[in-house]
């Protein structure tokens, strides 16, 4: 996508970056030694800081947040911070809910995107993942595809960058995902960060689409046992929280609420 030629919009020269979103952008399950999470947005900030050493970075994302909550709680903070670059990835938790309407979600998403662009930020939008290989989650694949079509159209109308997660076949490998199959593994997060760098024109030495090392595929019985274990240990508890109206966001604050150089929050 062609971008304006002003200096502040030249790829690699953004001096400040804010990330908005849910657990995907907060960085679950990409743990650091202190028990916090890193994630693709932090990794992207690290790559950006290589090109702009004094980059200031904020990450406002909180696990479990719905699109409306992200717009209500994180968007005003981001606008006030006045970052030059914003990643805005939201709506996945809404799509997973029964009865959710991707068309209505897109209307909310576009209004928020327009507000970010009006504030002067370059905006990166992430599409949803392809859920065809995930038990139970494959049932929402049609809604994800519909929402993705809206997101691409929104990006076109508002001159935004797009990180197309749906098309990343490298993420179809189980090694890209943590045990809960809802969040990326550390390597999965790095692949997304590298894809974002490719879209933004940030030079990196690694390739996001590099094939995984060869591995022997598990047999059918092993796969089914893994599916049962996943449903019991991860999906059922997640569904129970949703039905009870509880959120994994309860008591969680943004890990980087202010724009600061990476070394200040290391």
């Amino acid at each position: 996508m062609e971008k304006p030629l002003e200096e502040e919009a030249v790829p690699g020269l953004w001096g400040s970056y804010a990330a908005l979103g849910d657990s995907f952008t907060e960085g679950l399950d990409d743990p650091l030694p202190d028990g916090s999470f890193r994630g693709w947005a932090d990794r992207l900030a690290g790559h950006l800081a290589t090109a702009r050493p004094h980059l200031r970075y904020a990450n406002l994302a909180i696990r479990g947040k719905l699109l409306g909550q992200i717009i209500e709680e994180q968007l005003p903070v981001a606008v006030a911070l006045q970052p030059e670059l914003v990643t805005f990835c939201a709506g996945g938790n809404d799509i997973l809910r029964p009865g959710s309407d991707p068309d209505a979600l897109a209307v909310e998403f576009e209004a928020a995107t327009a507000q970010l662009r009006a504030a002067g930020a370059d905006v990166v939008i992430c599409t949803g993942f392809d859920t065809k290989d995930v038990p139970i989650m494959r049932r929402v694949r049609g809604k994800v595809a519909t929402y993705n079509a809206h997101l691409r159209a929104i990006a076109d109308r508002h001159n935004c960058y797009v990180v197309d997660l749906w098309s990343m076949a490298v993420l179809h490998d189980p090694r890209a995902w943590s045990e809960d199959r809802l969040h990326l593994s550390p390597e999965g997060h790095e692949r997304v960060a590298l894809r974002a760098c490719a879209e933004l024109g940030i030079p990196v030495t690694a390739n996001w689409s590099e094939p995984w090392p060869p591995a022997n595929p598990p047999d059918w019985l092993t796969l089914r046992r893994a599916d049962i274990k996943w449903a019991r240990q991860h999906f059922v508890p997640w569904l129970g929280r949703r039905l009870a109206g509880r959120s994994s966001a309860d008591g969680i604050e943004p890990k980087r609420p202010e724009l600061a150089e990476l070394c200040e929050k290391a």
Side-chain angles (χ1 to χ4, degrees):
M1 176 185 297
E2 294 184 1
K3 302 299 291 182
L5 295 178
E6 294 86 359
E7 180 180 346
E8 64 268 18
V10 175
L13 293 185
W14 293 282
S16 54
Y17 161 38
L20 282 66
D22 51 31
S23 60
F24 168 58
T25 300
E26 184 185 346
L28 278 66
D29 283 317
D30 184 7
L32 290 168
D34 64 359
S36 63
F37 294 101
R38 189 181 183 190
W40 73 272
D42 287 19
R43 290 169 179 269
L44 171 60
H47 291 302
L48 282 168
T50 300
R52 188 72 179 264
H54 297 292
L55 172 85
R56 294 179 301 131
Y57 169 54
N59 189 318
L60 308 175
I62 295 179
R63 67 196 72 175
K65 290 295 184 179
L66 301 172
L67 175 60
Q69 294 172 319
I70 292 168
I71 292 172
E72 179 181 355
E73 300 166 11
Q74 299 176 27
L75 180 63
V77 178
V79 170
L81 291 175
Q82 296 184 311
E84 297 173 10
L85 180 69
V86 171
T87 54
F88 180 32
C89 307
N93 288 321
D94 300 81
I95 292 293
L96 292 175
R97 293 197 165 199
S100 60
D101 181 356
D103 299 324
L105 290 171
V107 173
E108 292 185 73
F109 191 100
E110 180 159 19
T113 300
Q115 190 172 342
L116 289 169
R117 294 292 285 135
D122 283 334
V123 177
V124 178
I125 293 171
C126 295
T127 69
F129 298 101
D130 188 349
T131 61
K132 69 176 182 178
D133 295 325
V134 185
I136 302 176
M137 299 298 183
R138 64 172 61 101
R139 297 182 182 180
V140 300
R141 191 179 185 224
K143 290 204 295 186
V144 176
T146 299
Y147 190 50
N148 284 351
H150 282 300
L151 294 179
R152 294 187 188 95
I154 291 167
D156 285 343
R157 287 193 290 269
H158 297 277
N159 197 25
C160 301
Y161 295 94
V162 176
V163 177
D164 187 5
L165 303 175
W166 180 282
S167 70
M168 291 181 67
V170 70
L171 298 181
H172 296 170
D173 191 291
R175 287 171 286 185
W177 296 89
S178 68
E179 188 178 78
D180 70 5
R181 305 185 187 179
L182 295 172
H183 302 103
L184 294 170
S185 66
E187 179 63 20
H189 277 286
E190 179 62 11
R191 298 292 184 121
V192 172
L194 291 172
R195 178 65 184 270
C197 287
E199 297 301 327
L200 292 169
I202 306 301
V204 291
T205 57
N207 185 347
W208 66 266
S209 61
E210 183 72 24
W212 293 85
N216 294 325
D219 58 72
W220 182 89
L221 182 58
T222 299
L223 288 173
R224 298 295 75 76
R225 285 174 174 169
D227 289 344
I228 294 171
K229 179 182 178 182
W230 167 77
R232 182 176 62 250
Q233 295 185 0
H234 298 288
F235 180 74
V236 171
W238 174 85
L239 182 61
R241 289 196 303 271
R242 292 298 181 271
L243 294 175
R246 299 192 307 272
S247 172
S248 57
D250 294 344
I252 304 295
E253 298 293 332
K255 62 182 180 180
R256 298 181 64 94
E258 302 287 344
L259 290 172
E261 292 187 24
L262 292 179
C263 61
E264 296 180 26
K265 294 289 184 178

